[in-house]
Structure formats: C-alpha cells, structure tokens
Amino acid sequence: MPRTRLTAACLAVFMTGAASPALAQAFQSTPVVIDARDAALALPRAQPAIPAPEDKPYPGVIQYRADLTDLDRRIVNVAQTILVAGPGPLTLLYPKYLPGNHAATGPIQLISGLTVTANGQRIEWLRDTLDPYAFHLDIPAGVTSIEVAFQWLTQPDSANWRVTMTPALVNLQWEKAILYPAGYFSRQIQVTPSVVLPKDWQYGTALTTAARDGDVATFETTDLYTLIDSPIFAGAHYRRVDIDPTGDGAKAGVHLNILADEEKGLAATDDQLKLFEAMVTQADRLFGARHFDHYEFLFALTNQMGGIGLEHHRSSENTGAPDFFTAWSKSAGDRGLLPHEFTHSWNGKFMRPADELTANHNVPTQNTLLWVYEGQTEYWGDVLAARSGLHSREVALATLASVAAFYDEQPGRQWRALQDTNNHNLLGYRVPGQFTSWMRGTGDYYRESLLVWLDADTLIRAETDGRKSLDDFAKSFFGHDDGSWAPQGYTFDQVAAALNAVHPHDWAGFLRERLDAVGPDAKAPLAGIERGGWRLTYTDAPTEAEKSVQSGWANDFQYSLGFTLSGDKLTNIRWGGRAFEQGIGAGWSLVAVNGKAGSAEALRAAVTASKGTDAPLELLIKSGDRFRTVAFDYHDGLRYPRLERIPGTPDRLGDILSPRRR
C-alpha cells in the first residue's frame, strides 16, 4: 500500500477546512499514514494513569488561601501549598462532580493562569487528554512541597454559570476554586483554608474560624470533604440570628446568616424570625435527632446572584428577593426554600443514596434514587413550611394544587417514566429546552415524586386509622444516631423495608408502579390528594394565596390555551395543547387579540368574554417576518388550579399540614 506523508503545508490547509476539491478527493481515496518522524507532533504526549482513590491519609496538610477582594473584575485569586511525598508523578484534580448538582458540573472552563512552582522553579503540568479535570506533574528530586496558583474567573451573569460575586456579596464555593491530589478519599485529605475579605466584610459558614486578623480569616484544619461541603457567604451587610428554639448552645445550634445588597434588607422582625424558629422545632419533632454540630442558613437577599438553593450537611446556600423581609406578603410563595434545604441535612446528607456516596469529587455519581433524595425532601420541605407557619394553610394548598395540575396535564409520561427523569442532570445539567412538558426533566423527580410520597403518607394514615404516618418513617429512617453526622447510604430495598416496618404493604410494588409508569394510559400519582380528602379543580378567579404561589398567573394560559406569555412571547407551549395543535411552537409573539393590540390583559379579557358563548378568540401572531392569524375554538374561560374539600371525607391532608405538638 502506498504511503502518503502529510506535509506541514497540507496539514495547515486541512485544518483550516480550505482544501481544494482535488486534495479533498485525495483524502477520501488515499489512506494517510503519519511518518514515524512526525509521531511526536501528531500523537498525544505520554501521560500517567490517574490514580484511583484509596482510603488512606494524604501525607501532609494543604495550606489554602482565596483572595476575594477583586470585586470589580469578579476574580478569585487562589494560592495553595501542597506537601508532596517525594519525587515522581503527581496528579492534581479539579472537582468534577459537585455536591447537590448530581452531575459533572465543575466549571473548569473558568480556571485560568494555573502555575506550579517549587523551590522557586516552575514545574510544568500536562492536562490529561481523556479527563481534562486532571493535571499531571513530575515532581523533581529535593522538592517537599509545591506552590499552586490560579484564578477563578467568576461570571457577570447567569447565562452559563450562576453569579457568585457582586459589589456587596461573595459566595465562595470551595469546590470551584481548588485542586487536590488524586489517589485519596476526599475525607482523607486535610486542608487549612483561609480567605482574604474585602475591607470590613463579615461572613457566614459552617467552618470554625481559628483566627481573624484584619480582613484575613483562617479556619480550623478540616478534611476536603467537609471543606467542600461548607461554603461561605460574605458581604458588606450581614446579620447572624440564633433561630434555635432550644436555647441550648451546646445542642447543635441553628443560625440564620442574612446578607443583603443593602443594610435595610437585613430588617427581619421578631415575628418573622419566630416562624423560622418554629420550622426548627417542627424539624426536631419530625426527625427526632440532629446530625450536625451546628447548622448555618446562608441567606443572601439579592437580585444579582440568581435563584440559589443548594444543600449541605451543616449549612445551605439560599437567595431571596432584596425585600424578602421588608415586603413580607410578597414572599409568601417563596418561603418553602429554607425548609427544603434544612430537610436535606437529614435526607441527602446524613442519609443519602448509596450510589451518591463517592470516594472523591471526581468519581462519577449515579442518580437512581433522586426521587427519594429530592422528592421526599420536597415533600417534607412543604410540610415543614406549613407546620411552622411559613406557609399559611391557603398557600400550602395552593402549592399542592399547582403541582397536581401540572402533572395531571403533563403529556411526557407517555414516553418517559418518572424513574428516567432521575438521569436528567447526567444528560445535561438542568438544560432548558422547548416543549418541556413533553421532554420532562429535573422538576419531575422533585415535584411528581412529592405526589408519590403524599400518596404513601395518606395510604399509611388510611390503613392504620391515623395511628401511623410517613412521619414514623422519617423518624426511623433519618432520625437514628442522634449527634452523628458521618454520612450513611441507602438503597431502594432499604427504603421499601423501612416503609414496611412502619406499615406492612407491598411498598416495592407501590413505588415501582409509580416510578415506572409510562405509556398512553399512565396517569399522574394524584391518589394521595383524594385520599387526603381533597380534589383538584379549576377556577377563573385565583385568591391572593393562589396568586402568591402562581406568581405568573396573569400571564398563564397553560390550562386554557396551552401556553404562557413572557412579555409578548408565547412560551412553555404545552405539547398536545390547543396552541400546539394550531402549529405554534417556539419563537412566536402575540401581536393582536380579536383585532386589538395584544397583551396578557387583553388576552385574559378575551378568554373571559368567550366563556360559554360562541364569541371568537382570534390571535394575530408573528415570527420573524411571518404573520399568522389563529382562531381558537375555546369557550371554557380562564383556568387556574385549586384544591377543594370532598364533603364527608377525613381531612388527612389537613392533618399532615398541621403542626406537631410533640
């Protein structure tokens, strides 16, 4: 076979895509063999294997410092001193699988300027060509430690990654700004972390401060696992409030660390704070144990960092509106966030799916039990919000109605089971897309699973005449080993067995039936609502509580015409809905309604006017330079979900939402 040698000139043409037709034909017809003399240029450099993690101590403590002062340029400057055992290969890893993300989301694209030195000399690194989160080094003789420096270039908007630095706030997530040695379990690597803060800033974190020298805070040495699980919220405006109703500082206190864009945002009233105290009380009564030495809610009131709710074992990252406390009634529908994240301390952190208990942050996670991890947490978060008074009874019912309606109308179950949505993050981390009602995704293993757990709770209550409930499962499954916060794993069989210990039933079959339901006859798991003494219905006039939950109600035509208005854009087109059947998809804008200028208000008036009549409902829509007139044969008026009592039935749902007295 003739050998064809690729010259530098040809290679340049080939790589730019500007090859002539003759050359292109030659490439198609003649095999290209790279001459051995060019192999060093054409093939990847030799690289060692990435050491698998072993459960053994790393020899030495990593000294770590993050400088958070470059606010205008949004740059975090990192310096690490890493002790090394001796000369030879060393691989450093950047965390890939981040806690609470359930996916390979480590933003390594934002790491720049990586430099490694030892004894004043530069040591070159080589990125692994198969796993770009790994950096290989060859440590010279005589070197006992290396200096690692780089920048984390945080982002000014949330287009790709969420904002973590603003002029008044910084959210330091250690896993996004650290390298660590491969070959060890995360809990076997010791780190002494410190931060340089902007002048006079304060901070909240679950870490223990060892010293504060001016604007430099140094924390007690801890293991890498705990460090990554203990983020910092720092800011110019800060307030820390004890919300532990036990009043016993020795008993694992709970604190609310409030940060805000402006000082006035910190003005939580005593009555508001008592509701958060009640949340802690209700969690104590539900689980019967605490699995933290102390717990820190990190709560930033800002509109500059995007929506945040991220769980950790002894803390959580949360954001709210700047006027969360000062315009309290506006936040009515948003007060379930902190109860949800608090629940994760028991479910997801202390007890978590066994396939998410990985050795370090670069071992792939599996998500087969997210319907427990997130789904039951969503359930208890809403229950605790109601039991504590953070949600009024009306808001709690409106929240459940909104969830029930969404899944009652969702067509995606025809092809995709709830179990498969647990893989959604692994397929592309919470990637938005068109026709989400058909695609299904992240929200389903939260909210549809909530309905499954309500179904289970009401079944236990009904079959035991109220003597047992899912509360008993929570206490036995999550509430053992009071005071311990070493994580433990659970499996599907253990979940089913724990349910059987509360009340004998075919729980494995019960769960699998709901998780695996798929096809044209598969239905949303709404039995728990009716067994709870309520049913789903619709209204054309939502209450104030319903409006607070369905914040976009004025633009929501999902249950009438099958879309939502975002400005003048038709969005969230419901697959199989009336708009979909008219051939409407993404990219269309509303121009006019029945011959008059289009708006959400005009559309609501037209839908209302056509109710029970033959009045026309005609929309003029536009996409690019195309216009279409679409006529809807729809006369049932506006529809917003609501729960109503079923007369003569036990109000089990009311019992679930009522505060526990002990």
Side-chain angles (χ1 to χ4, degrees):
M1 180 180 295
R3 297 174 67 237
T4 301
R5 210 166 159 264
L6 192 59
T7 66
C10 289
L11 181 61
V13 172
F14 180 61
M15 292 179 67
T16 59
S20 67
L23 182 57
Q25 185 176 1
F27 277 124
Q28 294 170 4
S29 60
T30 306
V32 177
V33 179
I34 299 175
D35 191 285
R37 290 168 293 180
D38 296 329
L41 296 176
L43 299 177
R45 291 166 58 187
Q47 58 188 24
I50 301 172
E54 297 183 40
D55 195 1
K56 61 182 182 181
Y58 182 75
V61 178
I62 296 173
Q63 303 296 317
Y64 177 99
R65 176 163 293 189
D67 187 328
L68 311 181
T69 61
D70 198 348
L71 299 174
D72 288 343
R73 292 185 295 200
R74 301 177 188 260
I75 298 172
V76 175
N77 287 283
V78 175
Q80 297 179 235
T81 300
I82 302 176
L83 298 180
V84 296
L90 173 69
T91 299
L92 297 179
L93 300 176
Y94 180 80
K96 183 176 185 179
Y97 291 89
L98 303 190
N101 286 194
H102 317 294
T105 55
I108 197 166
Q109 302 90 334
L110 305 184
I111 296 303
S112 68
L114 176 59
T115 304
V116 181
T117 59
N119 298 333
Q121 300 298 313
R122 185 180 178 111
I123 299 177
E124 299 300 337
W125 50 264
L126 175 67
R127 191 191 300 266
D128 194 279
T129 55
L130 295 177
D131 185 350
Y133 288 75
F135 299 87
H136 300 294
L137 300 97
D138 188 11
I139 305 300
V143 170
T144 58
S145 66
I146 58 174
E147 305 295 326
V148 178
F150 60 88
Q151 300 86 40
W152 172 25
L153 306 180
T154 77
Q155 299 296 282
D157 57 52
S158 298
N160 294 301
W161 293 275
R162 72 174 175 83
V163 173
T164 55
M165 297 185 80
T166 77
L169 295 163
V170 170
N171 174 197
L172 176 59
Q173 298 174 303
W174 307 96
E175 70 273 16
K176 295 181 179 176
I178 197 167
L179 296 177
Y180 70 95
Y184 301 85
F185 279 28
S186 291
R187 57 180 169 77
Q188 292 279 26
I189 300 172
Q190 297 294 302
V191 185
T192 302
S194 62
V195 295
V196 184
L197 297 161
K199 184 174 176 56
D200 297 328
W201 276 30
Q202 301 299 317
Y203 58 87
T205 181
L207 297 174
T208 300
T209 301
R212 175 83 188 254
D213 183 7
D215 294 319
V216 177
T218 302
F219 303 97
E220 290 185 355
T221 299
T222 189
D223 61 88
L224 179 67
Y225 170 85
T226 302
L227 177 67
I228 285 179
D229 198 43
S230 306
I232 289 177
F233 269 23
H237 310 293
Y238 171 78
R239 179 186 178 190
R240 186 172 188 250
V241 184
D242 184 349
I243 57 170
D244 188 347
T246 67
D248 183 2
K251 190 189 176 185
V254 182
H255 303 92
L256 185 60
N257 297 264
I258 310 171
L259 300 96
D261 291 331
E262 301 180 73
E263 191 73 18
K264 64 182 181 180
L266 306 178
T269 67
D270 289 344
D271 287 343
Q272 292 165 351
L273 294 173
K274 285 185 184 303
L275 296 175
F276 291 98
E277 287 188 12
M279 173 194 67
V280 177
T281 295
Q282 290 300 318
D284 284 341
R285 292 173 181 171
L286 175 63
F287 297 114
R290 292 185 180 182
H291 302 297
F292 43 79
D293 54 349
H294 64 109
Y295 189 93
E296 307 294 327
F297 286 103
L298 310 179
F299 194 24
L301 305 182
T302 178
N303 55 15
Q304 298 183 53
M305 297 179 78
I308 303 172
L310 186 59
E311 69 274 10
H312 300 282
H313 200 142
R314 302 181 299 149
S315 64
S316 56
E317 301 169 63
N318 312 275
T319 56
D323 58 359
F324 182 88
F325 290 115
T326 55
W328 185 242
S329 61
K330 286 172 55 179
S331 70
D334 300 323
R335 298 181 206 148
L337 174 61
L338 269 61
H340 176 100
E341 302 305 339
F342 195 37
T343 298
H344 267 313
S345 184
W346 289 268
N347 180 22
K349 288 302 179 180
F350 173 62
M351 294 292 291
R352 71 184 66 177
D355 58 13
E356 294 202 33
L357 270 175
T358 58
N360 67 23
H361 296 89
N362 291 70
V363 174
T365 184
Q366 298 181 66
N367 297 337
T368 59
L369 294 171
L370 281 181
W371 53 274
V372 187
Y373 181 118
E374 294 291 4
Q376 195 172 140
T377 296
E378 186 82 346
Y379 180 68
W380 291 127
D382 284 356
V383 167
L384 289 176
R387 290 180 182 178
S388 65
L390 284 166
H391 279 172
S392 68
R393 180 183 173 91
E394 292 75 20
V395 166
L397 291 172
T399 299
L400 184 56
S402 180
V403 173
F406 180 87
Y407 290 103
D408 192 42
E409 297 276 341
Q410 187 194 55
R413 197 175 294 99
Q414 295 179 30
W415 75 276
R416 189 177 189 188
L418 174 59
Q419 179 65 61
D420 187 61
T421 68
N422 290 263
N423 296 314
H424 193 76
N425 284 10
L426 297 174
L427 300 175
Y429 184 63
R430 300 186 180 180
V431 175
Q434 300 303 322
F435 302 117
T436 55
S437 65
W438 181 244
M439 287 298 298
R440 296 187 21 110
T442 302
D444 296 0
Y445 61 70
Y446 283 81
R447 298 186 302 158
E448 184 172 336
S449 297
L450 175 158
L451 297 172
V452 172
W453 290 112
L454 174 62
D455 197 354
D457 197 350
T458 56
L459 181 103
I460 295 170
R461 290 171 184 265
E463 294 193 351
T464 64
D465 197 23
R467 293 186 301 275
K468 295 285 186 178
S469 71
L470 199 64
D471 287 48
D472 297 286
F473 170 87
K475 181 167 287 189
S476 64
F477 198 67
F478 302 116
H480 54 85
D481 296 334
D482 187 21
S484 170
W485 47 290
Q488 302 180 26
Y490 57 74
T491 65
F492 176 90
D493 289 343
Q494 289 172 324
V495 172
L499 287 166
N500 271 303
V502 172
H503 172 62
H505 188 77
D506 178 16
W507 287 109
F510 173 96
L511 294 170
R512 289 264 57 99
E513 179 183 355
R514 287 152 181 78
L515 293 167
D516 300 333
V518 67
D521 297 326
K523 305 296 183 185
L526 302 185
I529 294 176
E530 296 207 359
R531 198 183 296 112
W534 296 74
R535 61 179 160 229
L536 176 64
T537 185
Y538 292 87
T539 179
D540 59 2
T543 64
E544 289 305 310
E546 289 165 341
K547 290 178 181 178
S548 72
V549 170
Q550 304 166 39
S551 57
W553 70 273
N555 303 316
D556 184 3
F557 302 91
Q558 282 292 313
Y559 304 115
S560 52
L561 304 180
F563 62 83
T564 301
L565 269 183
S566 298
D568 64 347
K569 298 291 185 184
L570 278 67
T571 62
N572 296 328
I573 310 296
R574 183 171 294 275
W575 189 275
R578 291 179 176 85
F580 181 89
E581 293 300 327
Q582 294 276 12
I584 299 173
W588 290 92
S589 300
L590 179 65
V591 177
V593 179
N594 289 342
K596 296 182 178 180
S599 66
E601 183 179 11
L603 185 53
R604 288 198 309 274
V607 172
T608 299
S610 70
K611 183 177 180 179
T613 73
D614 293 330
L617 185 58
E618 193 172 85
L619 309 186
L620 177 63
I621 59 176
K622 176 179 182 293
S623 178
D625 58 0
R626 294 181 58 212
F627 289 83
R628 285 182 59 195
T629 298
V630 181
F632 286 87
D633 184 18
Y634 175 75
H635 306 283
D636 290 334
L638 298 169
R639 299 176 81 236
Y640 304 101
R642 173 176 291 172
L643 295 187
E644 66 177 16
R645 279 285 283 130
I646 302 173
T649 61
D651 186 6
R652 296 190 180 95
L653 185 53
D655 293 339
I656 290 170
L657 300 177
S658 297
R660 289 187 55 162
R661 300 305 175 189
R662 57 183 178 85

